[in-house]
Amino acid sequence: MASSLRYRRRVSTLLAAALVAIGLTAVQGGPSAAAQTTVGDPTPAQALRTVAQFRGVWDSPPTTLANGETVDAPLLGNGDVGVAVGGSIDDQTFYLGKNDFFSTATNGIEPLGRIVLSVPGLAGADYHVVQNIAQGQVEGTYTLGGEKLSSTSWVSATRDLFVTTLRLSGSRPQQATVTVQDGLGKAPATSSRDGVLDADVQAGTTDAPGNPHARIATSVDGTAANVSGNRIGLTLEPGVTYTVAAAIQSSHDTPRYQSVAHAAAATLTGGSTARLYAAHESWWREYWSRSFVQIPDQAVEKSWYGSLYLLGSVSRAGKYAPGLWGNWITGAMNWYGDYHANYNYEAAFYPALSTNHIAQTGSYDDPILDWMPKGRAKAAAAGYQGVLYPVGISPNGTSAADDLYNQKSDAVNFASDMVMKYEYTRSASYARKVLPYLEQVGLFWQHYLTWDAATGTYTIENDAPQEGGVYPQTNSILSLGLVHLLFQGLIDMSKDLHVNDSLVPTWQHIDENLAPLPTMTRNGRTVFRQTSEGSGWVSDGNDVAIQAVYPGLQIGLNDSADLLHTAQNTVAQLNNWHSDNSPATLYAAAAMVGYNPSTLMEELHSEATAHSYPNMAVHHYGGGVENLNVTTSGLDEMLLQSYQHDIKVFPNWPANSNAKFGGLLAYDNFLVSSSIRDNAVEYVRITSRSGRNLTFTNPWPGKTMEYYADGVHKGTLSGTTIKLHTEVGETIDLAPAGTSRATVQHELSQPAEAGTTGSLTTGFETGQAQPTWTDTVDNVDTNGDGNYNITGLCCGLTGPQAAVRTGEQAHTGDAALMYSGYANGGSYDHAYLQVYGFNGAPLTVRGDTALSYWIFPQSDATTPWVDAGSDNSTCVAVDLVFTDGSDLRDSGATDQSGHGIHPAQQCGHLAPDTWNHVTVDLGKVKAGHAVSKVLLGFDHSGATGGYRGYVDDVSIG
């Protein structure tokens, strides 16, 4: 794990250059002409310092390149053109994709082309490639004996141009070839002049009307290149820098795409390339300057920045929107790579909002608005008003999957990003752009809803929450949430624009009287169900049952305790942290309703490690760029919530975990920065960009705070909820009573201090530290081997247990951790269950640190589920995982009696049906290490039968 030393690394070249420019003016050519950086604002410096730490690293070529989904290759992009880097240096393939390269035959996205760089004399060279996200480039080093080739590749942030520079060191020259291919790896039609190889490609296998064409115009600077067919031959001399550049233009860019691409490649020189690179670097510098997070868990922090790097690479205003897999198109893409309406398309853009990268949503609306004529026609054909959208649309009013799948929610799902973007920005011009679409979606629901006079509610009939749900399906919880969000957005936009006065009362009546969210009982807990009639609880890897929270935004921390408990129970029962379809929305939803923040951080850690490629792409089957929202919105909602128009800093944050963020965007267009140290918020800075009224929850409950506005002390504030009027551009600083503004400014400029947990002491009682997980096998630290041949003890249980129970057995108090399972006679019977996680603030092991716990193994005398004479229940021990990946069980540590602390070595040494005290001298074997996780392990090779017992009064310190 990281320590405070991570903030003192040498500042990179990028940061050194950036520190000169930040805080003065917006960088020309960046993602927005209105970059919100001001003199004295420490956000850019903090952001650039932090992102410079994170890189993707490969020491062997990527292997997942052609499965039609997320690739594991180094990635580049400029929001239009994307490049995935595959292969070794003797056959290195740059896969070219472009967001507009959709075939009219399938309405699916197609690969645009490939550039193959081959240096055969370096076959077998050592491979070391780095994805440098701070500068938007990929750096390669290929070494064979005394010969080394270094490369730097980038896709210009400001032009559709792919560049690779090559520099050889060693004693002899190397022959190289650059081969241009079409998207399927075949030779395209080519021509050459002015030293430029022009390759013409098209989407689809035939020249169908509307199929986009494109030209890849390739040149080499630094030597006289030999062009033949679709290949350029060149000789690489040691000590000379060569630049391979490919200009890419499509017929969607301009009817003159061929001449424009050729001219761009023909006019490139060393000087022009340097200027282009300077603009490229400036774009990324300004992009990173907009916001930052600093948290103890470096894996999660890296995933947050990595996701934003990929977001900046796939989406850009004025370009076509990215499909399911972004612009990294290497072959035939699953689901046509289209714009899937039921969460996939929308989720890819959600992270741009809270992270203050609004410009990256600039391409979102176009394909949706282009589809409106067909949406009206589809609704009319079915006898409805307004618009009706299918599950999968494509650019320019086309559709790759023109089927409703028994759902009416696709159009309102598309509306979610529009409403959220407006609520975040309060942009009148944006409202005017999307309001016609939202009005048509509202018109559909206004007439589709059924008024139930008996209950006084509007109901939704015949609308499946999931694809293909068989009717009847009444009151889909997904649609209830989204319809609420739609009408709330329509009301807000209309009031702000002073339009739709006659419609607002109708919309308000619908919003206030929609049917309640359906509930049910599952495993003794009240949870949400998918419909009031139809689908109940569906365990299929989706999180539909909680989507009224996110993206529906209908439940939050300002709601009743009962409603929050129902939502928390639903999250727990779903337990879909790493399924195919849940992660993009589940983490944000869980944070919004106050789910155990330690669990969230641990599961995000797993997403960032076990479910991420080296290129920092979180990946699950069927999920591409939607997973950019996993860590970003999941973490942001733990750090800052505002969607109930009430700003809360660190609303759902793990204890003993220092953290800091800057420049995150809150509803009503407020930029927010804050820091927490030793469980206390240090300050809050809020900058008003629209002059809206500000409501925030006091981060110092029951205490007064200092209030500064634009540096002027305005007195003190107190109360639970504070309301202030703000002016456009006004900066408000809040801090504990007695804090000077100079102190706030100083703290703003300092990096977060890494936090650690000093100790753990718990008897599992109310008010004491509760487990991070319940009944959860550890398949992360055990590399997928957390459970071998252990099933549920009885009664329909599906697996081993480790959960708090009250009123059964306890060493002290009323609660203890119950464990159970059933061994099936395998050679390696074992089960390791996660109990506590400390990745957010690892628990330091000192020289005098000890582990202590009490354990009550049961025999047949106290439970009917253990066989007579069995010692299975004694083969259990508390286990620890350390931040370096090692564990306690294999450390050689012993208990106070000299028995190994491995669960298998505890067998027969614990007395059944009584409380046994176990202690371990951790400092003796693990001093200087840090605990990241507490497990409870059962391990008894060849065992048969049940085991059960209790653990209580655990302490580490």
Side-chain angles (χ1 to χ4, degrees):
M1 293 298 297
S3 71
S4 58
L5 291 175
R6 75 181 181 93
Y7 300 112
R8 297 198 293 271
R9 294 179 185 172
R10 185 178 63 178
V11 177
S12 69
T13 303
L14 166 69
L15 178 57
L19 292 176
V20 177
I22 56 173
L24 301 178
T25 59
V27 178
Q28 295 299 313
S32 170
Q36 279 72 33
T37 58
T38 59
V39 175
D41 179 9
T43 294
Q46 293 271 25
L48 292 164
R49 178 190 298 118
T50 309
V51 71
Q53 301 173 88
F54 300 122
R55 289 169 164 80
V57 179
W58 291 256
D59 288 315
S60 60
T63 58
T64 305
L65 288 162
N67 66 347
E69 296 197 5
T70 304
V71 299
D72 64 347
L75 300 176
L76 299 163
N78 67 357
D80 184 20
V81 171
V83 175
V85 185
S88 53
I89 193 59
D90 57 311
D91 188 29
Q92 188 161 76
T93 302
F94 300 98
Y95 296 86
L96 309 180
K98 201 168 185 293
N99 282 343
D100 64 12
F101 219 58
F102 275 78
S103 163
T104 57
T106 63
N107 296 319
I109 197 165
E110 304 262 344
L112 186 142
R114 301 177 186 180
I115 295 176
V116 181
L117 170 65
S118 177
V119 186
L122 294 181
D126 291 341
Y127 179 100
H128 182 73
V129 172
V130 173
Q131 181 177 279
N132 180 341
I133 66 172
Q135 293 172 275
Q137 63 190 33
V138 170
E139 303 149 359
T141 305
Y142 314 95
T143 307
L144 183 66
E147 309 297 315
K148 181 174 74 173
L149 181 67
S150 300
S151 67
T152 301
S153 303
W154 45 283
V155 174
S156 168
T158 56
R159 293 177 62 185
D160 281 350
L161 192 76
F162 167 62
V163 178
T164 294
T165 59
L166 305 170
R167 189 174 181 86
L168 182 69
S169 62
S171 59
R172 57 191 177 85
Q174 295 284 342
Q175 299 302 311
T177 58
V178 177
T179 304
V180 182
Q181 301 173 344
D182 68 11
L184 301 178
K186 299 178 180 178
T190 60
S191 60
S192 63
R193 60 185 174 88
D194 308 321
V196 176
L197 170 60
D198 292 320
D200 291 317
V201 297
Q202 67 179 39
T205 56
T206 61
D207 190 13
N211 261 354
H213 290 241
R215 170 163 284 186
I216 308 167
T218 307
S219 63
V220 177
D221 184 48
T223 185
N226 178 26
V227 180
S228 176
N230 66 329
R231 179 171 296 180
I232 301 174
L234 62 154
T235 301
L236 304 178
E237 298 286 349
V240 179
T241 298
Y242 303 88
T243 301
V244 179
I248 302 160
Q249 289 284 294
S250 77
S251 53
H252 286 308
D253 293 323
T254 171
R256 300 172 49 248
Y257 67 96
Q258 292 171 311
S259 60
V260 170
H262 178 91
T267 56
L268 272 181
T269 63
S272 61
T273 302
R275 289 190 294 273
L276 195 64
Y277 180 75
H280 167 83
E281 194 174 39
S282 292
W283 191 96
W284 281 105
R285 185 166 62 242
E286 196 276 341
Y287 179 80
W288 292 122
S289 296
R290 301 181 72 81
S291 61
F292 73 89
V293 299
Q294 295 171 352
I295 62 173
D297 192 316
Q298 290 291 271
V300 176
E301 186 178 306
K302 178 180 179 179
S303 181
W304 189 88
Y305 285 98
S307 296
L308 289 184
Y309 168 72
L310 300 177
L311 174 67
S313 299
V314 299
S315 179
R316 205 65 53 89
K319 302 294 184 180
Y320 276 58
L324 290 172
W325 315 107
N327 47 18
W328 301 293
I329 309 301
T330 58
M333 307 308 291
N334 293 346
W335 294 280
Y336 302 104
D338 68 356
Y339 307 142
H340 244 55
N342 44 11
Y343 93 85
N344 310 83
Y345 181 63
E346 297 86 350
F349 292 88
Y350 293 145
L353 303 173
S354 58
T355 62
N356 191 26
H357 288 93
I358 296 295
Q360 308 322 119
T361 67
S363 62
Y364 175 82
D365 307 310
D366 295 340
I368 301 169
L369 301 184
D370 288 345
W371 224 86
M372 282 183 65
K374 287 192 174 181
R376 291 192 189 94
K378 198 172 189 70
Y384 305 129
Q385 297 188 50
V387 292
L388 193 60
Y389 276 52
V391 70
I393 67 171
S394 306
N396 304 315
T398 63
S399 178
D402 191 19
D403 198 319
L404 296 178
Y405 291 101
N406 296 346
Q407 295 179 306
K408 307 297 191 305
S409 57
D410 292 320
V412 72
N413 226 323
F414 278 140
S416 63
D417 291 74
M418 299 176 183
V419 174
M420 287 188 202
K421 180 174 176 178
Y422 179 73
E423 298 292 354
Y424 271 103
T425 65
R426 305 304 285 212
S427 167
S429 61
Y430 182 71
R432 284 189 286 269
K433 175 185 176 182
V434 299
L435 195 54
Y437 171 76
L438 298 177
E439 289 168 345
Q440 287 297 306
V441 181
L443 181 62
F444 169 83
W445 286 102
Q446 185 177 331
H447 291 275
Y448 186 77
L449 293 167
T450 300
W451 176 252
D452 185 341
T455 61
T457 62
Y458 292 95
T459 63
I460 301 174
E461 297 180 352
N462 294 331
D463 173 35
Q466 298 195 58
E467 292 180 12
V470 178
Y471 294 152
Q473 300 282 342
T474 303
N475 291 328
S476 158
I477 194 168
L478 166 64
S479 294
L480 286 172
L482 292 173
V483 170
H484 270 299
L485 182 66
L486 167 70
F487 284 114
Q488 289 159 3
L490 278 169
I491 293 166
D492 286 349
M493 291 183 197
S494 297
K495 286 184 175 181
D496 288 351
L497 295 179
H498 306 290
V499 298
N500 293 325
D501 291 346
S502 63
L503 290 172
V504 166
T506 299
W507 294 339
Q508 288 175 325
H509 193 262
I510 292 172
D511 181 47
E512 293 166 0
N513 294 283
L514 267 180
L517 302 179
T519 61
M520 61 183 290
T521 300
R522 176 176 166 81
N523 294 328
R525 303 287 183 88
T526 301
V527 298
F528 293 122
R529 58 177 283 156
Q530 293 194 3
T531 67
S532 60
E533 180 185 9
S535 298
W537 188 267
V538 181
S539 299
D540 65 349
N542 284 282
D543 65 334
V544 171
I546 201 67
Q547 287 187 347
V549 176
Y550 187 87
L553 306 183
Q554 297 309 302
I555 304 172
L557 296 178
N558 288 350
D559 287 306
S560 69
D562 286 345
L563 191 58
L564 289 173
H565 287 155
T566 299
Q568 292 165 7
N569 292 340
T570 305
V571 172
Q573 293 293 310
L574 284 169
N575 196 26
N576 283 341
W577 303 112
H578 313 298
S579 65
D580 296 337
N581 290 318
S582 288
T585 50
L586 181 61
Y587 287 93
M592 287 172 165
V593 298
Y595 194 78
N596 188 333
S598 294
T599 304
L600 287 178
M601 188 59 67
E602 294 297 331
E603 299 298 356
L604 282 173
H605 182 86
S606 180
E607 286 290 317
T609 53
H611 300 281
S612 291
Y613 287 134
N615 57 27
M616 302 175 222
V618 177
H619 63 92
H620 297 276
Y621 172 73
V625 293
E626 70 189 56
N627 288 318
L628 301 181
N629 199 48
V630 175
T631 308
T632 47
S633 290
L635 182 60
D636 287 0
E637 295 298 334
M638 297 175 72
L639 296 168
L640 172 70
Q641 291 183 21
S642 64
Y643 66 100
Q644 292 184 307
H645 297 278
D646 176 8
I647 291 175
K648 294 178 171 66
V649 297
F650 302 102
N652 197 39
W653 193 246
N656 306 310
S657 182
N658 296 346
K660 190 182 190 82
F661 66 86
L664 295 185
L665 187 62
Y667 263 36
D668 297 314
N669 211 14
F670 293 105
L671 287 181
V672 183
S673 302
S674 190
S675 175
I676 190 169
R677 183 172 62 183
D678 299 332
N679 299 312
V681 174
E682 294 185 287
Y683 61 82
V684 180
R685 169 167 286 186
I686 301 173
T687 299
S688 175
R689 300 200 293 187
S690 295
R692 306 280 302 181
N693 289 333
L694 168 65
T695 300
F696 65 94
T697 294
N698 187 347
W700 302 280
K703 299 180 180 179
T704 60
M705 70 191 82
E706 304 294 344
Y707 166 33
Y708 302 91
D710 288 335
V712 177
H713 189 240
K714 296 291 187 177
T716 61
L717 300 170
S718 61
T720 301
T721 302
I722 313 295
K723 298 179 183 290
L724 296 173
H725 173 73
T726 71
E727 302 292 338
V728 174
E730 182 179 20
T731 295
I732 294 170
D733 288 319
L734 307 167
T739 306
S740 69
R741 187 174 184 274
T743 298
V744 173
Q745 190 67 26
H746 174 75
E747 290 174 344
L748 276 160
S749 65
Q750 300 302 303
E753 292 186 8
T756 59
T757 302
S759 63
L760 169 69
T761 301
T762 183
F764 305 101
E765 307 295 331
T766 300
Q768 297 180 342
Q770 294 298 302
T772 308
W773 293 279
T774 298
D775 300 340
T776 304
V777 172
D778 179 20
N779 281 321
V780 177
D781 301 286
T782 59
N783 297 315
D785 191 34
N787 180 8
Y788 185 87
N789 216 34
I790 305 299
T791 54
L793 179 64
C794 69
C795 323
L797 294 170
T798 57
Q801 293 179 289
V804 174
R805 294 291 181 86
T806 57
E808 295 183 6
Q809 280 282 354
H811 178 252
T812 59
D814 190 48
L817 186 75
M818 186 277 298
Y819 64 83
S820 79
Y822 190 93
N824 289 279
S827 301
Y828 306 100
D829 282 5
H830 62 255
Y832 289 88
L833 277 78
Q834 303 175 131
V835 183
Y836 286 98
F838 300 106
N839 276 310
L843 195 157
T844 302
V845 178
R846 305 177 308 276
D848 61 351
T849 300
L851 165 67
S852 170
Y853 62 91
W854 292 79
I855 183 168
F856 187 101
Q858 291 185 281
S859 73
D860 66 312
T862 56
T863 178
W865 308 112
V866 175
D867 295 337
S870 171
D871 66 353
N872 284 351
S873 299
T874 68
C875 305
V876 173
V878 171
D879 189 23
L880 306 177
V881 177
F882 300 91
T883 55
D884 63 356
S886 63
D887 53 60
L888 180 62
R889 65 182 180 273
D890 295 320
S891 68
T894 60
D895 64 15
Q896 74 281 3
S897 301
H899 303 303
I901 197 58
H902 193 292
Q905 295 172 316
Q906 292 285 293
C907 286
H909 296 298
L910 300 172
D913 306 318
T914 189
W915 285 102
N916 299 257
H917 190 203
V918 178
T919 61
V920 180
D921 185 351
L922 289 181
K924 183 177 180 180
V925 292
K926 286 293 184 180
H929 288 70
V931 179
S932 64
K933 192 176 289 186
V934 177
L935 309 179
L936 190 67
F938 166 83
D939 206 320
H940 193 187
S941 297
T944 301
Y947 65 89
R948 194 178 190 277
Y950 299 86
V951 171
D952 202 0
D953 295 331
V954 178
S955 70
I956 305 172

